């Protein structure tokens, strides 16, 4: 950590003098590749709406924590998000309704329940920071948490990636090759729930899904194979995270939303490139 | 591939589906399905839309819960359970063809543990790519799945289903969206493989005149099995004629009139 502060402190920029910017930058460098990796598979499996719902379910997670008197709401947000992710995954296969209807219902329920519980006695305002997020107040302990999360997801991606990819390409095909498709789908849903939920206090639940979707969507416009798809998404995500964070310092804006606007810029460029080609 | 490669154990290898049923919600999608599949035999599965053809394949793959029994012979131990190797060729429309997945990525994801986001190494797949050459698709390795023609995609998927060579091959509408020349080529290939590899093949098809010339046997399914016999027999069944609005039995040709047997040259 000290080496990091020393390194960034050398940079000849105004923002590089502040320790909170060093912390935020390191956190951004750790979480943006995560979003890129997950996002690629979220898009391949047409789960953009799913991850959006998981983000909004954070409201219920926070509320459950408040009602149960848990000091750090993260410990109630994670189980609630994972539980809802499993519920949606199960309902998708065991209901006559289409996937987007199921997800829409679950999301509406989670948001309404969260708002009702949190607004009791008119105190919703103090939770509004979760809507926008704040990466500038991130602590070294939280950065360590982000590093562990990156290691866990990278581990899952090294061991299970081929099975996840084949399951999402075609479920019965994956089954014919002996893949436990239920395990793979549940594992992926839990990974998305975990990463989205842990990042909400930093990025904000209103824009978090865009960070998952945009780098992968931009990469899809350019990639010629799976390796390029992931590499481009990681680069776009890292660049958006770093440029967005620094931009937010100079413009005095919310970091999460600024990062999303930069990522959107990359997406538009990739789209233009695709059309020109 | 030539025709004198024949099956060694006709009749000894057989898959028995007994009283199989699939229920989703309150609806019986399939009930009382009894079907025996023999090695070296190509069985065409026909029926109207919503008849449960795809459901039957998915139940056989163990992807859908079902009642009744699936009995596979010869018995082979796979991870503590007895199950055959099943090759599966999915329906084209069920696949996400916009994803940046190349033929190489597809094969690597199925046969290798090395994660494909680290890149697809042709070298490490060497032995697994032989079938691509057999179906004449080895030139397509670097192409994205979405760039392939309907016929090319189906040959790639067939090669994958045959890597490694399975005991049972299931094909779900493999020629949907393939032109007439491609259909002929594909069916010719599949019917050669059934002898060369002694495969029990179950193939869903809506293209009755074409498949009638290649299938050894035809099964008409509509929630339950309503007809089972040679293509000429099944296609002249009044219920089949009523369902498809036409008597295709003339298209079955001389091949269909021959009794079903295994191992003989056609």
């Amino acid at each position: 950590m000290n080496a990091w502060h020393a390194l960034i402190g050398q940079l000849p920029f105004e923002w590089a003098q502040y320790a909170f910017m060093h912390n935020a930058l390191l956190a951004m460098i750790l979480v943006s590749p995560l979003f890129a990796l997950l996002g690629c598979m979220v898009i391949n499996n047409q789960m953009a709406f799913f991850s959006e719902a998981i983000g909004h379910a954070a409201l219920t997670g926070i509320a459950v924590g408040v009602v149960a008197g848990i000091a750090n709401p993260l410990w109630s947000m994670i189980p609630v998000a994972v539980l809802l992710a499993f519920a949606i995954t199960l309902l998708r296969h065991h209901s006559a309704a289409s996937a987007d209807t199921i997800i829409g219902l679950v999301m509406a329920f989670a948001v309404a329940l969260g708002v009702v519980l949190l607004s009791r006695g008119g105190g919703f305002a103090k939770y509004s920071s979760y809507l926008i997020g704040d990466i500038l107040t991130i602590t070294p302990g939280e950065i360590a948490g982000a590093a562990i999360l990156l290691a866990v997801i990278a581990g899952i991606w090294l061991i299970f990636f081929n099975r996840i990819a084949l399951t999402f390409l075609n479920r019965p095909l994956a089954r014919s090759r002996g893949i436990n498709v239920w395990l793979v789908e549940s594992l992926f849903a839990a990974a998305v729930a975990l990463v989205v939920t842990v990042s909400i206090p930093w990025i904000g639940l209103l824009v978090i899904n865009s960070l998952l979707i945009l780098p992968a969507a931009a990469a899809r416009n350019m990639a010629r194979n799976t390796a390029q798809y992931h590499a481009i998404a990681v680069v776009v995500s890292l660049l958006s995270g770093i440029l967005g964070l620094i931009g937010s310092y100079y413009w005095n804006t919310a970091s999460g939303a600024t990062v999303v606007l930069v990522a959107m810029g990359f997406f538009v460029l990739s789209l233009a490139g695709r059309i020109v080609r | 591939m030539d025709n004198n490669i024949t099956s060694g154990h006709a009749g000894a290898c057989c898959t028995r589906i007994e009283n199989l049923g699939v229920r989703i919600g309150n609806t019986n999608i399939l009930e009382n399905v009894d079907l025996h599949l023999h090695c070296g035999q190509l069985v065409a599965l026909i029926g109207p839309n919503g008849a449960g053809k795809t459901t039957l394949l998915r139940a056989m793959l163990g992807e859908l819960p079902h009642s009744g029994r699936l009995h596979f012979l010869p018995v082979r131990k796979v991870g503590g359970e007895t199950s055959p190797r099943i090759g599966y060729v999915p329906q084209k429309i069920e696949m996400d063809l916009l994803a940046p997945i190349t033929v190489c990525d597809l094969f690597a994801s199925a046969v290798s543990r090395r994660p494909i986001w680290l890149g697809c190494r042709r070298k490490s797949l060497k032995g697994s790519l032989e079938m691509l050459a057999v179906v004449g698709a080895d030139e397509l390795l670097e192409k994205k799945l979405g760039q392939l023609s309907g016929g090319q995609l189906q040959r790639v998927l067939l090669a994958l289903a045959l890597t490694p060579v399975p005991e049972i091959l299931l094909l779900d509408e493999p020629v949907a969206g393939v032109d007439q020349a491609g259909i002929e080529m594909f069916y010719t290939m599949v019917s050669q493989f059934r002898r060369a590899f002694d495969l029990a093949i179950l193939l869903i098809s809506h293209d009755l005149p074409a498949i009638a010339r290649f299938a050894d046997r035809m099964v008409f399914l509509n929630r339950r099995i309503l007809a089972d016999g040679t293509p000429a027999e099944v296609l002249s069944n009044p219920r089949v004629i009523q369902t498809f609005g036409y008597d295709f039995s003339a298209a079955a040709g001389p091949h269909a009139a021959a009794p079903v047997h295994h191992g003989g040259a056609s």
Side-chain angles (χ1 to χ4, degrees):
Chain A
M1 215 47 217
N2 283 335
W4 174 254
H5 285 301
L7 180 74
I8 302 301
Q10 303 260 314
L11 294 174
F13 303 112
E14 188 192 308
W15 60 266
Q17 297 164 20
Y18 299 100
F20 68 86
M21 281 301 284
H22 301 176
N23 290 343
L25 184 65
L26 185 56
M28 206 54 110
I29 290 172
L30 290 172
V31 296
S32 17
L34 265 179
F35 279 107
L37 289 180
L38 284 169
C40 286
M41 281 293 112
V42 164
I43 291 196
N44 272 14
N45 200 27
Q46 296 169 15
M47 285 168 77
F49 192 35
F50 167 84
S51 49
E52 176 89 33
I54 294 303
H56 282 68
L59 281 175
T60 300
I62 298 162
V64 168
V66 170
V67 171
I70 298 169
N72 185 348
L74 202 57
W75 301 123
S76 56
M77 287 161 74
I78 293 174
V80 167
V82 171
L83 221 70
L84 280 176
F86 285 161
I88 293 172
T89 307
L90 244 151
L91 282 171
R92 272 178 80 169
H93 294 292
H94 286 277
S95 162
S98 67
D100 60 341
T101 309
I102 299 279
I103 297 169
L105 282 171
V106 172
M107 181 164 111
F109 168 73
V111 170
L113 184 64
V115 170
V116 164
L117 291 175
L118 292 175
S119 64
R120 263 186 74 202
F124 187 81
K126 64 175 177 262
Y127 304 106
S128 61
S129 68
Y130 283 98
L131 299 180
I132 297 164
D134 186 1
I135 201 167
L136 300 181
T137 56
I138 198 164
T139 63
E142 287 173 321
I143 294 176
I148 293 169
L149 192 60
L150 177 61
V152 169
I153 299 296
I156 295 176
W157 252 235
L158 281 173
I159 299 168
F160 287 98
F161 185 82
N162 287 0
R163 280 171 269 185
I164 297 173
L166 203 60
T167 302
F168 288 173
L169 183 66
N170 187 276
R171 208 167 179 263
L173 176 62
R175 189 70 204 95
S176 79
R177 311 214 62 108
I179 293 171
N180 184 338
V181 290
W182 281 111
L183 179 75
V184 166
E185 283 176 346
S186 306
L187 189 69
F188 184 76
V192 172
L194 191 65
V195 170
V196 166
T197 307
V198 169
S199 316
I200 277 177
W202 310 329
I203 309 295
L205 74 82
L206 287 178
V207 293
I208 194 143
N209 197 45
S210 328
L211 218 52
L212 208 56
I213 303 309
L214 282 172
R220 225 178 211 240
N221 284 334
M222 295 184 268
R224 259 178 268 133
N225 56 47
T226 301
Q228 282 185 12
Y229 182 34
H230 285 75
I232 295 171
V234 167
V235 169
V236 167
S237 190
L238 270 172
L239 282 177
S240 311
I242 295 168
L243 294 177
L245 178 68
I246 295 170
S248 74
Y249 171 85
Y250 289 105
W251 299 322
N252 200 15
T253 51
S255 316
T258 315
V259 170
V260 167
L261 286 186
V262 176
M264 190 69 207
F266 280 115
F267 175 75
V268 170
L269 279 180
S270 75
L271 199 62
R274 189 191 173 89
I275 292 166
V276 168
R277 237 188 317 140
Chain B
M1 205 68 48
D2 65 43
N3 278 336
N4 58 24
I5 306 170
T6 56
S7 100
H9 44 279
C13 132
C14 162
T15 298
R16 295 206 305 270
I17 300 169
E18 286 166 4
N19 198 22
L20 182 132
V22 173
R23 211 178 150 79
I24 296 177
N26 291 323
T27 318
N28 281 331
I29 310 288
L30 289 172
E31 54 192 25
N32 307 112
V33 173
D34 285 291
L35 187 63
H36 290 196
L37 300 174
H38 301 278
C39 284
Q41 199 180 58
L42 197 173
V43 179
L45 185 61
I46 64 166
N49 286 326
K53 304 185 295 295
T54 297
T55 303
L56 176 59
L57 261 48
R58 290 176 60 190
M60 289 180 72
L61 287 169
E63 201 212 338
L64 280 179
H66 59 83
S67 58
R69 274 165 51 83
L70 282 167
H71 194 80
F72 299 106
L73 273 176
V75 173
R76 203 166 54 89
K77 288 261 175 198
V78 181
E81 279 182 64
T82 59
S83 72
R85 224 193 289 275
I86 301 182
Y88 174 73
V89 176
Q91 222 168 329
K92 185 186 167 190
I93 54 158
E94 298 270 313
M95 304 187 67
D96 173 18
L97 294 173
L98 294 170
I101 296 176
T102 62
V103 174
C104 190
D105 289 329
L106 173 69
F107 269 72
S109 72
V111 304
S112 148
R113 283 276 153 100
R114 186 175 183 276
I116 53 173
W117 56 276
L118 291 176
C120 183
R121 276 216 209 116
R122 198 188 277 242
K123 258 190 225 153
S124 57
L125 294 175
K126 227 176 185 177
S128 310
L129 298 177
E130 282 165 4
M131 275 299 163
L132 273 182
V134 174
V135 301
D138 46 350
E139 305 272 286
L140 307 173
L141 205 59
E142 307 298 333
K143 288 248 198 269
K144 283 197 268 193
L145 298 183
Q147 293 173 320
L148 304 179
S149 72
Q152 286 173 331
L153 178 66
Q154 291 309 332
R155 277 184 283 140
V156 165
L157 292 171
L158 177 63
L160 181 64
L162 294 173
T163 310
V165 175
E167 275 106 40
I168 303 169
L169 181 62
L170 306 177
L171 303 100
D172 195 348
E173 288 189 49
V175 295
V178 176
D179 59 48
Q180 203 55 43
I183 292 177
E184 289 285 320
M185 181 183 178
F186 189 85
Y187 283 160
T188 305
M189 209 176 258
V190 169
S191 57
Q192 282 172 350
F193 287 154
R194 84 182 186 281
R195 293 239 160 74
F197 301 125
D198 198 27
L199 294 169
I201 302 180
L202 186 59
L203 186 152
I204 296 177
S205 179
H206 284 294
D207 187 26
L208 302 186
I211 193 61
R213 286 187 290 116
F214 290 94
D216 300 302
R217 207 174 118 206
M218 195 170 264
V219 171
F220 176 59
L221 181 82
N222 195 356
R223 202 147 61 99
R224 53 184 78 203
I225 290 175
L226 299 175
D228 184 348
T230 64
E233 283 167 6
V234 171
L235 290 175
S236 52
N237 181 305
R239 281 209 261 209
V240 176
I241 295 170
Q242 196 199 349
T243 300
F244 294 99
Y246 191 79
D247 182 350
F248 288 103
S249 58
H255 171 79
V260 173
H261 61 97
H262 317 289
S266 50

